[in-house]
Amino acid sequence: MTDSRIDIRRLTKTYQRGGETVHVLDELDLGMEGGTFYALMGPSGSGKTTLLNMLGGLDVPDSGDVLVGDENLSQLSGNELAQWRSQNVGFVFQGFNLLPVLTARENVELPLLLTPLSKKERRAQAERALALVGLTDRMDHKPRELSGGQEQRVAIARAIATDPALILADEPTGDLDRTTANSILELLQRLNRELKKTILMVTHDPEAAGYADKVIHLDKGKLGRIEDNRKPAGAR
Ligand code: ADP
Ligand code: MG
């Protein structure tokens, strides 16, 4: 990804449910700068996860375009999309989604299996990612031997293992207590500021959204206001 700007143009997505058409995203237009930490807020069912999945190439729109950097995702085939995703996007979920039978290091190595790296290089890269999230001393532990906060750190290490430009996080602190949540949010903020990752984080929590540079509001598939947390209060 040479330029990591994101442009969403007239994005429409519907689902069929019990003979009814549910309009989840309705001709949504949204531009996002690369290297910025965004929070995405909105009521349950407003289409946040759907939007995240389209940006990450996990789901395809009915119509409209999703441009990430120099790639128009709408023009990629299924295989091309999977390839693009494995190199450019890291996902973080509310429930961590770690494989329980693998150690922290093996979980982080998983996305690297899709790269041409050797076994030794995969191991070194996974260890680098785990060091970045502060878990060097827990690498050989399985998820059940870790706290929720540590599990989410492993998941974040897995998300950055391939060094993607874009991190998509769906309520990453939803299952964590306040203190643990804040340490995860500080980590995401550090990945944005120090490694220049573009981050889009879905959250219900205004305090979590306060860690982002900008807050995008979504309601019933339509874009609401975008707040800029970086502007001084008097300038809003
Ligand atoms: P949010 O993440 O904001 O809570 P979602 O994007 O998950 O919202 O869902 C938006 C709407 O789309 C909801 O009404 C949901 O029930 C519906 N929906 C999401 N995924 C599917 C699916 N695979 N099939 C049918 N309906 C879906
Ligand atoms: Mg959701």
Side-chain angles (χ1 to χ4, degrees):
M1 235 189 272
T2 48
D3 167 22
S4 55
R5 193 185 154 73
I6 295 173
D7 272 300
I8 293 167
R9 295 186 189 148
R10 298 178 73 88
L11 184 68
T12 296
K13 181 72 179 180
T14 57
Y15 288 115
Q16 300 301 324
R17 201 167 40 199
E20 254 185 85
T21 303
V22 185
H23 292 267
V24 182
L25 297 175
D26 193 9
E27 303 218 326
L28 189 83
D29 285 307
L30 173 65
M32 293 166 61
E33 309 143 24
T36 302
F37 183 177
Y38 289 90
L40 178 59
M41 300 190 83
S44 231
S46 56
K48 303 182 298 296
T49 296
T50 304
L51 177 59
L52 217 67
N53 289 345
M54 309 272 187
L55 269 176
L58 285 176
D59 200 353
V60 254
D62 295 339
S63 61
D65 289 304
V66 179
L67 295 98
V68 185
D70 38 25
E71 208 65 80
N72 185 342
L73 303 193
S74 325
Q75 285 169 1
L76 300 182
S77 70
N79 277 338
E80 288 168 338
L81 201 55
Q83 175 78 17
W84 173 84
R85 189 170 56 231
S86 70
Q87 291 168 355
N88 296 287
V89 193
F91 290 92
V92 181
F93 304 95
Q94 178 170 3
F96 323 133
N97 292 19
L98 300 175
L99 289 183
V101 295
L102 301 182
T103 64
R105 178 172 40 217
E106 289 164 345
N107 267 285
V108 177
E109 276 180 37
L110 276 184
L112 298 171
L113 291 173
L114 300 167
T115 69
L117 294 180
S118 70
K119 195 174 174 202
K120 199 172 151 196
E121 289 166 330
R122 287 201 301 267
R123 192 183 165 114
Q125 198 147 326
E127 289 181 3
R128 258 200 305 279
L130 282 158
L132 257 168
V133 303
L135 279 185
T136 297
D137 57 339
R138 310 296 285 171
M139 284 190 307
D140 296 316
H141 290 265
K142 294 196 174 148
R144 70 178 145 74
E145 297 159 353
L146 301 171
S147 69
Q150 288 172 334
E151 283 191 83
Q152 194 59 303
R153 281 173 192 275
V154 175
I156 291 171
R158 180 182 56 189
I160 59 171
T162 61
D163 199 24
L166 175 62
I167 297 177
L168 299 173
D170 202 345
E171 309 201 29
T173 56
D175 282 351
L176 303 173
D177 63 71
R178 180 81 267 156
T179 310
T180 310
N182 288 352
S183 73
I184 292 296
L185 292 159
E186 280 161 21
L187 173 58
L188 290 173
Q189 204 172 49
R190 191 155 63 81
L191 297 179
N192 164 251
R193 292 190 181 160
E194 292 173 18
L195 303 180
K196 310 291 174 221
K197 304 290 182 198
T198 307
I199 302 180
L200 181 59
M201 172 183 74
V202 171
T203 183
H204 276 114
D205 173 15
E207 194 171 333
Y211 283 80
D213 298 320
K214 292 191 175 189
V215 187
I216 301 168
H217 293 267
L218 194 66
D219 195 7
K220 300 195 185 81
K222 293 266 190 200
L223 199 65
R225 66 187 194 284
I226 299 180
E227 296 164 78
D228 193 335
N229 288 337
R230 297 168 302 188
K231 283 198 184 136
R236 274 184 210 173

